[in-house]
Amino acid sequence: MANPTSSLKEVGTELAPAPPGREHGTLTAWIQDLIFTVDHKKLGLMYVGMAWLFFIPAGILASLIRTQIAVPNNHVLGPEAFNQAITMHGTAMIFFFAMPMVFGLANYIVPLQIGARDMAFPRLNAFSFWTTFFGACFLFLSYIFGPGLYGMGAAPDASWFALAPLTSKAFSPGNNIDFWSLGLLISGVGSVTGAVNVMVTIFCYRCKGLTLYRMPLFTWMVLVTMFLVVMFLPPLSAAQIMLVLERFFGAKFFEAQAGGSAVLWQHFFWIFGHPEVYILVLPAFGVISEVVPVFSRKPIFGYPMMVAASVMIGFISAGVWAHHMFTIGMDSFSVTFFAFATLVISIPTGIKIFNWLATMFGGKIRMEIPMLFCIAFLFQFLIAGLTGVMLGVAPFDWQLNDSYFVIAHFHYVIVGGIVFAVFAGFYYWYPKAVGRMLDHRLGLWHFWIFTAGFHLTFDPQHFLGFLGMPRRIYTYQEGRGWEFLNMLSTIGAFLQGVGAIIFIINMIYAARKGKIAGDDPWDAWTLEWITSSPPPEYNFEQLPEVRSRRPLWDLKHPEDPDWRFE
Amino acid sequence: MDTEHADHAEGVELPTPTPWPMLSALGIMLIAGGFVTSFVVALVGILLGLIGGIGWFRELFPVPNHELVPYTEPAKRAAPIKVSPRRISHLALGAGGHRAYYPLRVHRYSSGITGGLAGGAAMAVLAMLYGLIFQHSIWYPINLLAAAGLPTMESANVAMLNEFHLSAFIIAVLSHGVLSILVGMLYTVLLPMLPARYEWFWGGIIIPLIWTAMLFPMFDIVNPALAAHVNWFWFIVCQISFGLVGGYVVFKSQKVETMQTWSLAARMGVHAMETEEDR
Amino acid sequence: MLNHQYTRFSLATRGSGRGWLLLGFTVVAFIGFLSSAPVARAQDSTIRAVQNIFDPLSAPAETLYSISLLVMAVCAGIFLIVGGLLTYAIIRYRRRGPEDDREEPPQVYGSAAIELAWTVPPILIVVMLVLVTARTIGEIQHHKMPDAAEEIRVIGHRYWWEIRYPKHDVVTANEIHVPLSSRQNRVPTEMVLESADVIHGFWVPQLNGKTMLVPNYRNTMWIEPYATGIYLGNCTVLCGQQHANMLIRVIVDPPDVYQKWLDSQKAKPVNDPQTAEGQRQFISNSCGTCHRVEDSQATGVFGPDLSHFASRATLGSGVAKNDDTNLRSWLHDPQVLKPGCLMPNMQLSDRQVDAILAYLRTLK
Amino acid sequence: MTESALFTIFVVAYLFYIGKSLNPPYPREVLEFPWLGSFFLFSSSATVVVAEHRLKKGERGGFHLWWGITMALGAAFLIYTATEWYHLIYHDGLTLSTNLFGSTFYSLVGLHASHVLVGLVLLGIILVASLTGNIKDRHHEHIEMISWYWHFVDGIWAVVVTVVYIIGMQ
């Protein structure tokens, strides 16, 4: 990695004149700008836009899935369509909604928070975005070019963790699995380069005075996240390369007849798969750690512990992957070890929850929309963590694994945790990016409908798991005790859809008619609020200089600044 | 790449927008597309990737392309941060209501470790004494403790419980040691929060009783062997012995102020040492 | 060992005060669940369609049940405490009006002491849970089988189960008969789980947790049911299109009934001359390349063994009742009842279907 | 870091499948210890250091010479690997799809070879740029990075040799 200080003085000598032919306003100019841009803010917004773009089909697939299993012996989707739907829903939500959302927020917010003008490698940043985007397009093209009947395409159908022998040529003869592995490989390239870029940016481009120890928590969590991406995405890529070699060149990695092991794939997949959860959830923690203090009007409680806990989570997450595989027939020592590691990871997570709680204690909590989402996040993530403990206790997991309880658990993490944090972040930073506030009343509708829908959807699924309903079944027979709860869950899913539509309406409405935000609508403390909303292309006229964790507090309260107590 | 954002009087230098990264990415996608469709697509992809890559390289070499982005007009720039009119309220140091959350002084954490070990030792001695008196074996309580984690111990009979088992010994010592140290550490923090005059009573007797009561309903599942063989009187005596001995060691140690209390006090514009004296 | 489990079961659920205390902790977590509990105790005592993991009827499931109660109690306790604090914080410290905006609250950075205080108890809980987990794992995985234990091999195929009884030389499919175990006469059943193609998962919640069937691996699990009935379960690992209809039926019989069933499965099929035409059609339409019928030319191994087909209650791995209407539909086109299953439509005429149906009905 | 993780997975796969191939050829029968290839690659690590040293001292000619030697050694390594593979494929009949050994061997060694190839391209770009006089002081950092990459590739080869030719042949 380059050392930025060594040549800071050296100014580029050949300045291009003002670029010709880049006038604004027309559609072609807009598209040209999208393709050409290397600005971290535009790319960040493009990431976020891409995330919402793929959220829509993935969400529609989710509602189709729920419709199919709302009642026993239903025929909305056939078995093939159902398997494709669950695969595409899972893959798209993880890789093409949540991951771009993480990268989008990181891209947009991190340089602003650390007082930098842009990312370390702006062109690489554009490349990362486009590979991610094209990877996603590639996957969805399978609906057109896949090996389906009657000229229709067929999407991958081996579920998002694509367990090994099912994906081999013998059991999945078409090329839809190839769409899956190649699409994710492409976007994996984008994610890794993007992660390296963010890491270098954070390490080398912090403004004067912004030591690691003063860095905003969101940036800290993003840093840990990017480490995880760089370390743990390659195992998935490697496994996918093996799969591609196997499917195209007859290699024998996972083929049972040649002595290959289906277990190996699961190990590789989950070495990636579990840290992936933290890749997604740590930035969510970051958002919460930004929003909760600002709206409680107190600094984050126990900043050093928050950082330490994130780093610990990052480390421990490397050693827990096999808890997804308790039912695979491991020996008792391994089972015990992974159960232990899994339970241990609940400790730093618990510390975080307590710290957020302590931040709220003694504060003056402003119930704005971002804070509402944070509070809901705290409740839901608490439950998600506790169900995670239940799953971590291996003997209990033998009952719960691969049942609807697991579905409920990880949707609590991903929807109840990450998506809620994303909403919180959206309501929080939307004014910064657009210059206008999201509407409060619509926000309230969105919050309450979505939260109600969320609980109606996923609370009953815990009990479905207790009642023995396995995941990924496209139909079930009457009399298993699942009908009522499934119906509830489906109604909830549509309620969530309504909530999401209100949110989209809010975004469109606010972009045109929302209240003008001003530079610092929330009276916040981190550097992104020091510049105008939306920020100029170069972010800051003058690079800021900070003396504490809350530079804006120092400016707002010169009589009692933070730096006096560091 | 390090010279990308230089300040000038009239604006800031930023990298020139460029289509090459996007073209390279498109090329990569088409190469992958070649796998699932036909090699022609892959050829186009390789071509695009090469064009993109070369274009990108020329963008950077020998000197990265830049353009000068002029500053926006002053009216659109961010306003300077205004001084907040809000007052900041302060915690009244030493006020009763807040003490429970932010103990001003805690015992040394090291005293927690020694206290925990001492308490643990006292408890172990008592338990082994019990074993010696009633079962004529000091290994009896050790095996019972280990039965929480050892399936073989769980179903063992009394004769087996009286023998020495290495694995049981290791598990028992480890778990007992870890638990003792942790509870000792907890004591360093908890004791200052308890009602000041009767620390020994709360820490020594009430807290052990509380955790015994909490353990009671789940005892069957946590450690069925112990649940089956337990002598509750001695069990509670052992727990209290921990509380008393551990609590005593911690209690006797010197209290130290934490960084947090210092900065908290200083934050309030009150000098920390003075406040201490005030108390 | 076993006695322990029985007593613990009764302690934890019935009568004993401790059990009630424990249940008290979990009440919150159970509220929604209890609403479905009446369903769980359905009237039909023979078909146990509702497989509630909190209503275990077999030794290992019961051990899992007791540890799950512990974990849920702990989690419910934590939820009450943290959730309560959170609710308290929201109500107590919310902004109460414009006057609150004039003042910032005290700026508190943190407190190492209090953080230690809330770090240690979780560690204690983790240590306790790990100990219990380790013990339970050992208890189940290293369980000593008595000599009388029954052994079966369960081989997962795409969308059906092959069941073999090596001690008795019996082969059947989809419907697993196992003996009842009682305190006087312990007969646990040890299952060896293998797969012929992709990964499957075996799960009958009231009998035991789930275990995967992985090609090239030999996994084992055991059950020891102490209530008769037909237990329904599912394949739990996505194995292809008909994963949802890869249903499991475990039939727990009293020892004498079980013995009778074994004898009937060992008996050779009778060659009824009236169905000779059906048998001929069966062979000539190459049913025998995939299916096996004892003492005949049909020796296939890809599909379920049909030697005692008529003795089974269901078709297509539990997808439909084994009656004439369904069987006729199945023979015409299996893809109607089970779209995506590996048995192709053999394009049989009505006459052929009738003949084969009559033949299959004699395979008792 | 990414690359290390990527290699780790292939190494793990190789180790996992050692001795699990169901049909010949087995590693012991067909592999020979790559003395020559290892020599080429490891010595190139030394020459690249010399080249860098020359560059720092401002000796353009020496830099070109040693940089060129590094490239030649890298190319020689690739040629060695190619002949080894040619021998394996046409003489021993070991291909990617023969057995587990073939799959893991070619993927691991191939992954490494592709990194050598990328390294060669990077070295080549530098050489061409330097010969045409386009290398300025500001690029020294990049040259340093490329030489680090080259060392990294060497380090990986040490691991590959240990796994494939020492552990794998027992």
Side-chain angles (χ1 to χ4, degrees):
Chain A
M1 274 158 222
N3 176 6
T5 51
S6 68
S7 48
L8 258 181
K9 295 281 181 307
E10 207 180 330
V11 175
T13 44
E14 295 154 44
L15 277 185
R22 276 209 296 145
E23 74 261 55
H24 292 275
T26 64
L27 185 67
T28 36
W30 186 69
I31 291 173
Q32 195 186 357
D33 194 36
L34 283 188
I35 293 174
F36 275 65
T37 190
V38 291
D39 178 28
H40 78 95
K41 293 178 292 300
K42 281 184 193 148
L43 285 167
L45 291 182
M46 281 153 77
Y47 264 120
V48 170
M50 168 192 168
W52 291 121
L53 186 69
F54 285 98
F55 181 76
I56 294 168
I60 291 173
L61 286 173
S63 53
L64 282 175
I65 294 167
R66 279 307 332 164
T67 314
Q68 163 65 20
I69 46 178
V71 291
N73 298 320
N74 203 0
H75 293 290
V76 176
L77 298 178
E80 306 135 79
F82 184 86
N83 285 354
Q84 291 170 16
I86 56 170
T87 309
M88 294 298 275
H89 166 72
T91 312
M93 280 295 190
I94 296 285
F95 291 98
F96 304 130
F97 167 68
M99 288 280 270
M101 190 56 92
V102 166
F103 275 96
L105 287 178
N107 243 306
Y108 198 95
I109 303 299
V110 164
L112 286 172
Q113 272 195 340
I114 62 174
R117 288 245 154 89
D118 203 330
M119 300 282 270
F121 311 108
R123 298 170 193 85
L124 188 67
N125 199 14
F127 175 76
S128 306
F129 167 76
W130 287 109
T131 35
T132 313
F133 180 73
F134 285 133
C137 293
F138 187 78
L139 181 68
F140 271 88
L141 281 178
S142 63
Y143 265 117
I144 301 168
F145 294 111
L149 295 171
Y150 317 117
M152 290 276 288
D157 56 358
S159 82
W160 88 276
F161 39 86
L163 291 187
L166 186 59
T167 53
S168 68
K169 272 279 185 216
F171 303 112
S172 297
N175 61 8
N176 43 0
I177 301 298
D178 302 323
F179 273 98
W180 183 83
S181 46
L182 290 169
L184 291 191
L185 262 178
I186 300 171
S187 70
V189 172
S191 304
V192 170
T193 50
V196 171
N197 201 349
V198 174
M199 270 163 58
V200 176
T201 309
I202 294 177
F203 277 126
C204 304
Y205 282 73
R206 274 168 290 135
C207 68
K208 209 170 164 199
L210 190 67
T211 57
L212 280 179
Y213 205 57
R214 285 180 188 154
M215 222 159 62
L217 276 174
F218 177 75
T219 306
W220 251 115
M221 311 273 168
V222 166
L223 182 63
V224 178
T225 302
M226 295 306 163
F227 261 106
L228 289 179
V229 172
V230 168
M231 292 300 293
F232 295 110
L233 206 59
L236 178 72
S237 300
Q240 282 167 338
I241 291 172
M242 291 180 194
L243 187 61
V244 169
L245 287 176
E246 178 172 318
R247 290 181 59 88
F248 284 103
F249 305 108
K252 295 276 187 283
F253 290 103
F254 308 113
E255 202 184 297
Q257 261 103 34
S261 165
V263 175
L264 197 65
W265 168 272
Q266 294 199 30
H267 278 297
F268 289 164
F269 184 84
W270 288 118
I271 286 173
F272 151 78
H274 199 79
E276 169 73 10
V277 177
Y278 293 96
I279 289 171
L280 301 181
V281 89
L282 277 173
F285 286 172
V287 173
I288 304 298
S289 307
E290 292 296 318
V291 174
V292 166
V294 168
F295 290 88
S296 306
R297 310 307 304 155
K298 279 178 65 201
I300 190 81
F301 192 90
Y303 175 93
M305 269 312 253
M306 289 299 266
V307 172
S310 319
V311 176
M312 257 173 78
I313 289 177
F315 273 112
I316 306 175
S317 73
V320 298
W321 77 89
H323 69 211
H324 296 266
M325 302 160 57
F326 280 152
T327 60
I328 206 161
M330 280 191 289
D331 59 294
S332 12
F333 177 78
S334 317
V335 176
T336 311
F337 173 79
F338 283 108
F340 170 70
T342 307
L343 293 176
V344 165
I345 213 167
S346 68
I347 295 170
T349 317
I351 292 174
K352 276 177 176 289
I353 290 184
F354 281 124
N355 274 331
W356 289 320
L357 209 57
T359 308
M360 289 163 66
F361 260 78
K364 292 193 163 128
I365 303 169
R366 295 197 203 146
M367 291 296 175
E368 301 283 350
I369 309 289
M371 192 61 195
L372 287 179
F373 275 106
C374 282
I375 289 169
F377 168 94
L378 288 175
F379 269 112
Q380 288 152 12
F381 198 75
L382 174 65
I383 296 174
L386 292 173
T387 51
V389 169
M390 294 183 196
L391 287 166
V393 173
F396 201 3
D397 183 81
W398 289 335
Q399 285 285 17
L400 299 175
N401 188 295
D402 275 331
S403 77
Y404 256 77
F405 187 86
V406 172
I407 307 260
H409 161 71
F410 75 75
H411 279 95
Y412 251 80
V413 175
I414 290 178
V415 182
I418 294 157
V419 172
F420 270 69
V422 163
F423 281 140
F426 240 77
Y427 280 88
Y428 183 61
W429 280 310
Y430 186 91
K432 177 49 64 184
V434 179
R436 289 173 187 270
M437 308 284 283
L438 282 167
D439 189 66
H440 184 79
R441 186 179 295 271
L442 277 176
L444 280 178
W445 278 101
H446 167 215
F447 171 75
W448 286 109
I449 291 183
F450 196 83
T451 311
F454 167 79
H455 284 279
L456 198 55
T457 313
F458 297 113
D459 295 1
Q461 292 187 359
H462 291 105
F463 301 106
L464 281 174
F466 291 155
L467 293 177
M469 180 162 169
R471 68 195 288 189
R472 295 181 178 140
I473 53 172
Y474 80 96
T475 188
Y476 52 93
Q477 296 177 339
E478 279 169 67
R480 303 289 303 267
W482 304 337
E483 295 92 337
F484 175 66
L485 292 170
N486 266 317
M487 196 46 164
L488 275 188
S489 185
T490 303
I491 295 170
F494 280 97
L495 213 52
Q496 280 188 72
V498 173
I501 289 172
I502 294 177
F503 174 63
I504 292 171
I505 291 173
N506 197 354
M507 280 206 293
I508 296 169
Y509 170 80
R512 295 172 173 277
K513 303 215 166 134
K515 212 173 74 188
I516 299 290
D519 300 340
D520 181 17
W522 307 116
D523 196 0
W525 301 312
T526 39
L527 279 179
E528 71 266 34
W529 304 105
I530 207 171
T531 182
S532 57
S533 316
E537 253 185 276
Y538 45 80
N539 290 354
F540 306 97
E541 276 90 24
Q542 280 175 320
L543 290 181
E545 189 176 338
V546 299
R547 300 172 74 184
S548 76
R549 275 173 213 146
R550 297 191 295 170
L552 266 66
W553 170 276
D554 295 347
L555 293 172
K556 287 171 186 168
H557 294 280
E559 80 283 6
D560 190 9
D562 263 5
W563 51 261
R564 219 182 272 166
F565 307 103
E566 277 210 344
Chain B
M1 70 197 79
D2 313 310
T3 57
E4 308 247 33
H5 330 286
D7 290 9
H8 288 263
E10 65 275 27
V12 179
E13 250 180 61
L14 290 177
T16 318
T18 159
W20 304 124
M22 180 266 190
L23 213 59
S24 324
L26 187 63
I28 291 178
M29 181 187 104
L30 288 180
I31 294 171
F35 275 88
V36 284
T37 50
S38 83
F39 75 100
V40 183
V41 179
L43 274 185
V44 175
I46 292 172
L47 199 67
L48 279 183
L50 270 182
I51 295 174
I54 292 170
W56 192 347
F57 181 71
R58 289 173 57 87
E59 190 82 20
L60 284 172
F61 191 84
V63 176
N65 282 343
H66 284 103
E67 64 181 23
L68 192 67
V69 177
Y71 290 126
T72 46
E73 52 200 282
K76 280 190 180 170
R77 291 187 201 166
I81 299 291
K82 286 197 212 76
V83 171
S84 170
R86 291 182 194 151
R87 286 185 301 113
I88 305 166
S89 58
H90 300 299
L91 278 184
L93 198 66
H98 287 289
R99 199 177 50 128
Y101 303 116
Y102 312 114
L104 297 176
R105 299 195 302 173
V106 293
H107 298 278
R108 285 187 192 285
Y109 296 131
S110 60
S111 76
I113 297 176
T114 44
L117 286 177
M123 189 173 164
V125 166
L126 267 180
M128 291 199 298
L129 198 66
Y130 159 78
L132 204 59
I133 294 171
F134 290 88
Q135 304 291 341
H136 312 293
S137 163
I138 57 167
W139 306 117
Y140 179 76
I142 293 175
N143 287 331
L144 276 184
L145 177 61
L150 263 189
T152 46
M153 277 298 126
E154 189 205 353
S155 50
N157 53 19
V158 175
M160 242 179 105
L161 286 173
N162 284 339
E163 288 162 16
F164 172 77
H165 300 275
L166 186 65
S167 54
F169 182 72
I170 292 171
I171 286 188
V173 168
L174 273 182
S175 53
H176 185 62
V178 168
L179 292 181
S180 298
I181 290 175
L182 287 174
V183 176
M185 297 274 280
L186 200 54
Y187 265 41
T188 60
V189 184
L190 274 179
L191 285 184
M193 294 189 210
L194 297 170
R197 303 258 331 250
Y198 299 105
E199 274 175 336
W200 64 270
F201 172 72
W202 288 94
I205 295 174
I206 297 300
I207 292 183
L209 283 181
I210 288 176
W211 82 56
T212 310
M214 277 167 63
L215 210 55
F216 180 72
M218 3 178 148
F219 221 57
D220 283 336
I221 302 170
V222 175
N223 194 339
L226 187 50
H229 296 276
V230 71
N231 176 328
W232 279 107
F233 174 74
W234 274 86
F235 186 79
I236 293 171
V237 165
C238 287
Q239 304 296 332
I240 290 178
S241 77
F242 177 93
L244 285 176
V245 174
Y248 179 77
V249 173
V250 174
F251 184 64
K252 276 288 149 191
S253 80
Q254 203 187 354
K255 285 183 186 177
V256 289
E257 282 178 62
T258 58
M259 280 289 289
Q260 275 71 21
T261 48
W262 183 84
S263 70
L264 175 70
R267 278 201 70 68
M268 297 182 297
V270 189
H271 291 294
M273 292 319 292
E274 276 177 15
T275 332
E276 282 306 308
E277 281 155 20
D278 287 349
R279 287 183 72 222
Chain C
M1 176 87 203
L2 181 75
N3 291 346
H4 264 141
Q5 278 148 5
Y6 280 115
T7 46
R8 207 172 329 127
F9 176 58
S10 57
L11 266 177
T13 54
R14 299 180 188 118
S16 151
R18 282 189 207 160
W20 285 115
L21 254 176
L22 186 57
L23 277 181
F25 273 116
T26 55
V27 157
V28 173
F30 270 117
I31 286 174
F33 171 66
L34 286 178
S35 67
S36 64
V39 189
R41 297 178 199 288
Q43 295 302 309
D44 194 340
S45 62
T46 50
I47 294 192
R48 302 182 186 276
V50 179
Q51 289 283 322
N52 186 343
I53 66 170
F54 297 111
D55 188 13
L57 294 172
S58 150
E62 201 164 73
T63 315
L64 302 180
Y65 165 73
S66 60
I67 190 174
S68 58
L69 276 193
L70 169 76
V71 179
M72 290 188 67
V74 169
C75 289
I78 296 173
F79 178 75
L80 286 182
I81 294 170
V82 181
L85 284 175
L86 188 54
T87 315
Y88 174 78
I90 295 163
I91 295 170
R92 170 70 183 73
Y93 295 110
R94 71 182 195 283
R95 171 183 170 276
R96 282 156 198 279
E99 72 277 11
D100 265 4
D101 284 345
R102 283 196 276 279
E103 197 178 55
E104 302 277 19
Q107 304 291 305
V108 176
Y109 286 155
S111 153
I114 190 90
E115 288 187 47
L116 182 77
W118 65 48
T119 309
V120 169
I123 299 178
L124 294 178
I125 292 173
V126 164
V127 171
M128 178 195 76
L129 284 182
V130 168
L131 284 178
V132 179
T133 303
R135 191 194 72 232
T136 313
I137 290 167
E139 211 170 89
I140 290 178
Q141 289 199 338
H142 302 298
H143 184 74
K144 276 229 175 58
M145 287 288 150
D147 293 337
E150 184 60 271
E151 276 170 38
I152 58 177
R153 273 176 72 197
V154 177
I155 300 156
H157 293 257
R158 285 183 111 195
Y159 328 134
W160 64 280
W161 307 90
E162 178 183 344
I163 322 290
R164 290 176 174 270
Y165 294 74
K167 274 189 179 173
H168 311 283
D169 202 18
V170 163
V171 183
T172 177
N174 298 328
E175 297 182 3
I176 308 172
H177 288 253
V178 296
L180 181 75
S181 182
S182 62
R183 220 173 292 191
Q184 296 77 33
N185 182 20
R186 284 197 58 204
V187 197
T189 303
E190 189 168 18
M191 308 166 108
V192 175
L193 303 170
E194 289 161 303
S195 168
D197 35 47
V198 300
I199 300 181
H200 302 280
F202 188 93
W203 188 29
V204 183
Q206 286 185 316
L207 297 179
N208 196 349
K210 61 183 74 61
T211 306
M212 287 186 189
L213 298 80
V214 189
N216 279 357
Y217 285 78
R218 273 171 67 94
N219 285 339
T220 55
M221 67 185 253
W222 59 279
I223 56 174
E224 190 172 347
Y226 49 76
T228 56
I230 300 171
Y231 295 72
L232 300 194
N234 286 66
C235 172
T236 57
V237 178
L238 182 71
C239 51
Q241 283 188 24
Q242 276 300 318
H243 162 60
N245 283 325
M246 195 166 158
L247 303 167
I248 304 167
R249 290 167 81 85
V250 176
I251 299 134
V252 178
D253 291 327
D256 50 328
V257 180
Y258 176 68
Q259 193 56 46
K260 222 178 276 168
W261 177 80
L262 273 181
D263 293 340
S264 78
Q265 297 292 306
K266 277 188 244 177
K268 301 241 151 110
V270 251
N271 272 332
D272 190 342
Q274 283 187 322
T275 58
E277 166 67 8
Q279 186 172 12
R280 212 178 49 72
Q281 290 289 352
F282 187 83
I283 301 298
S284 65
N285 282 294
S286 51
C287 304
T289 34
C290 290
H291 295 283
R292 178 175 165 273
V293 176
E294 229 179 312
D295 267 358
S296 81
Q297 287 161 281
T299 53
V301 290
F302 295 111
D305 188 303
L306 297 179
S307 303
H308 301 278
F309 170 74
S311 70
R312 294 181 209 145
T314 57
L315 278 180
S317 189
V319 78
K321 234 174 108 189
N322 187 3
D323 59 20
D324 285 356
T325 331
N326 284 335
L327 185 53
R328 192 165 282 125
S329 154
W330 183 274
L331 289 171
H332 270 298
D333 185 2
Q335 305 294 331
V336 171
L337 282 173
K338 206 169 171 178
C341 77
L342 298 187
M343 177 163 164
N345 181 351
M346 301 304 289
Q347 314 286 354
L348 301 177
S349 67
D350 287 350
R351 238 193 65 242
Q352 288 170 316
V353 166
D354 285 338
I356 293 177
L357 189 144
Y359 168 62
L360 289 175
R361 282 279 167 257
T362 61
L363 300 173
K364 290 243 163 63
Chain D
M1 217 158 37
T2 310
E3 304 300 309
S4 331
L6 196 65
F7 273 107
T8 308
I9 292 301
F10 278 95
V11 167
V12 165
Y14 192 90
L15 288 172
F16 187 88
Y17 283 137
I18 282 178
K20 290 201 180 152
S21 291
L22 297 180
N23 53 317
Y26 301 109
R28 209 175 328 171
E29 301 162 5
V30 293
L31 286 189
E32 276 172 43
F33 195 84
W35 293 111
L36 202 56
S38 306
F39 169 74
F40 289 146
L41 204 57
F42 289 136
S43 55
S44 75
S45 226
T47 56
V48 85
V49 172
V50 178
E52 235 187 316
H53 196 66
R54 288 293 150 93
L55 184 67
K56 272 188 196 133
K57 284 209 281 187
E59 298 172 25
R60 271 297 150 99
F63 168 68
H64 291 156
L65 177 68
W66 287 102
W67 199 259
I69 293 176
T70 309
M71 281 186 67
L73 286 171
F77 169 79
L78 278 186
I79 292 166
Y80 174 84
T81 306
T83 48
E84 184 193 21
W85 283 24
Y86 181 85
H87 188 78
L88 285 175
I89 293 171
Y90 292 104
H91 183 262
D92 300 316
L94 178 77
T95 63
L96 192 68
S97 56
T98 309
N99 57 12
L100 288 173
F101 163 58
S103 300
T104 49
F105 173 79
Y106 285 111
S107 58
L108 178 56
V109 177
L111 187 69
H112 177 261
S114 67
H115 279 75
V116 175
L117 198 63
V118 170
L120 272 185
V121 170
L122 291 175
L123 290 173
I125 289 173
I126 294 292
L127 189 65
V128 170
S130 180
L131 284 173
T132 53
N134 275 321
I135 294 284
K136 307 267 165 17
D137 284 352
R138 46 181 287 132
H139 293 117
H140 285 187
E141 222 167 62
H142 301 169
I143 291 175
E144 200 178 327
M145 274 178 68
I146 287 171
S147 82
W148 273 113
Y149 174 80
W150 195 252
H151 294 315
F152 166 77
V153 170
D154 265 14
I156 294 289
W157 179 246
V159 176
V160 171
V161 164
T162 317
V163 168
V164 174
Y165 297 98
I166 298 177
I167 301 176
M169 276 163 72
Q170 277 163 4

